């Protein structure tokens, strides 16, 4: 069974779809990176008192 | 953009040529204006006396740029009718028929919301709110209200383009002092001579579109004098900024040289007649416009240099 040939529309809009895909991927990377930075910072660290105890 | 193009048999070469690519949607964000926003916001962020995590700083600049781009898309949506008339703007995605006005509005609104929320989350909500206010100012106050109703459109509307360094500073510090407002004032005072010089040599564009540019409402002679007056005020401000917290010897040198050149250009423009300008195809006005781009770049570049050299004891006056 051969694979169905992709519709002409997909070839025509490949550029646009690729752009949207890469933009979404970049957004995920940014959210992930920001989360790492925020979590590694002092904001979510253990309260000083608990550390002392 | 037509849905009919889904049926391969009805697709014509014309439809394909008109179809928007990713680049057309990106063009809605006015990338060239965005580059100015990125640069001035970056200077505001780095000149602030607070160290920002590099990734947070990168995200802050990115979201400020996206906010600037979103306001550009909303501007193109609202101004589609006059963009169609002006030679300078008729190749934009909406007047060229590649993107529909409604799409531009949707993209503009979505990116506005996204950029404000993300800047607030990445840095602080003061910065996020300030970005939201800037978008509102550019789209509602400038584009929808002032642009078509007053010849002072450029003066007041220029404020929107002057906010990014303040947002960058607030993103870093979470507070406001005099220094970011000096950067704001620099761009604010620079905008009128920059745009009026453009209006002098793009005369038919604004006339045809019915935009009340100073050249149309008060005449070209008055515009030439306005350029000179604003340039004198700008020069005083720019050189005065040398002695503030963001100034220093490098900035002072740049300010003195660039303002001398800028004043000379404005003086020449004020002395010229329309016949002089027509004779050499607005050579002086065109070179003044080009110089204005270098002017702003070098001033902000000098502020950046002062800030980057400070940790080594070289920047600023101390």
């Amino acid at each position: 069974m051969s694979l169905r040939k992709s519709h002409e529309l997909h070839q025509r809009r490949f550029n646009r779809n690729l752009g949207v895909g890469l933009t979404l991927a970049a957004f995920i990377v940014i959210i992930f990176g920001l989360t790492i930075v925020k979590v590694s910072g002092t904001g979510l660290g253990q309260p000083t008192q608990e550390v002392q105890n | 953009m037509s849905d009919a193009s889904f049926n391969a048999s009805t697709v014509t070469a014309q439809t394909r040529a008109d179809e928007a690519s990713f680049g057309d949607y990106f063009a809605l964000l006015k990338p060239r204006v965005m580059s100015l926003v990125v640069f001035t916001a970056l200077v505001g962020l780095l000149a602030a006396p607070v160290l920002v995590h590099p990734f947070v700083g990168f995200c802050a600049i990115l979201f400020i740029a996206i906010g600037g781009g979103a306001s550009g898309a909303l501007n193109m949506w609202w101004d589609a009718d006059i963009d169609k008339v002006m030679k300078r703007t008729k190749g934009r995605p909406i007047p060229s028929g590649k993107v529909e006005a409604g799409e531009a509005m949707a993209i503009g609104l979505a990116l506005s919301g996204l950029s404000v929320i993300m800047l607030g989350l990445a840095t602080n909500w003061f910065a996020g709110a300030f970005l939201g206010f800037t978008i509102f100012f550019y789209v509602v106050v400038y584009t929808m209200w002032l642009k078509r109703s007053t010849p002072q459109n450029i003066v007041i509307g220029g404020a929107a383009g002057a906010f990014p360094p303040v947002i960058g500073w607030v993103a870093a510090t979470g507070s406001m002092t005099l220094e970011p407002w000096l950067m704001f004032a620099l761009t604010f005072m620079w905008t009128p001579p920059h745009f009026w010089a453009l209006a002098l040599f793009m005369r038919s564009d604004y006339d045809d579109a019915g935009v009340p540019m100073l050249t149309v409402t008060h005449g070209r002679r008055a515009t030439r004098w306005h350029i000179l007056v604003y340039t004198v005020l700008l020069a005083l401000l720019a050189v005065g900024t040398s002695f503030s917290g963001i100034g220093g010897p490098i900035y002072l040198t740049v300010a003195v040289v660039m303002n001398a050149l800028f004043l000379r250009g404005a003086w020449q423009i004020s002395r010229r007649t329309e016949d002089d300008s027509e004779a050499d195809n607005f050579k002086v006005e065109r070179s003044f416009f080009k110089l204005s781009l270098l002017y702003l770049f070098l001033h902000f570049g000098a502020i950046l240099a002062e800030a980057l050299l400070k940790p080594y004891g070289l920047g600023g006056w101390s």
Side-chain angles (χ1 to χ4, degrees), chain A residues 13-28, chain B residues 20-23 25-26 107:
Chain A
R13 292 197 175 168
F14 178 74
N15 167 289
R16 201 197 296 186
N17 295 340
L18 182 69
V20 172
L22 289 176
T23 306
L24 289 174
F27 187 62
I28 291 166
Chain B
S21 65
F22 187 75
Y25 290 104
F26 184 67
I107 289 171

Side-chain angles (χ1 to χ4, degrees), chain A residues 7-9 12-13 15-16 19-20 23 27 29-31 33-34 37-38, chain B residues 5-6 11 16 19-22 25 53 55-56 59 62 114 118 121-122:
Chain A
H7 194 282
E8 179 269 344
L9 182 77
R12 194 150 38 89
R13 292 197 175 168
N15 167 289
R16 201 197 296 186
V20 172
T23 306
F27 187 62
V29 170
I30 284 166
I31 296 287
L34 267 179
V37 170
K38 294 277 175 187
Chain B
S5 61
F6 192 80
V11 172
R16 285 175 202 174
E19 194 164 271
S21 65
F22 187 75
Y25 290 104
H53 190 287
F55 191 75
V56 173
C59 289
L62 178 71
L114 180 91
M118 289 307 298
L121 288 171

Side-chain angles (χ1 to χ4, degrees), chain B residues 15-51:
Chain B
T15 312
R16 285 175 202 174
D18 287 348
E19 194 164 271
S21 65
F22 187 75
D24 292 314
Y25 290 104
F26 184 67
L28 285 175
L29 310 184
K30 297 193 177 178
R32 268 196 295 181
V33 178
M34 226 202 248
S35 63
L36 174 73
V37 169
V38 166
F39 182 57
T40 56
L42 180 72
V43 173
L45 187 102
L46 293 177
V50 175
L51 272 180

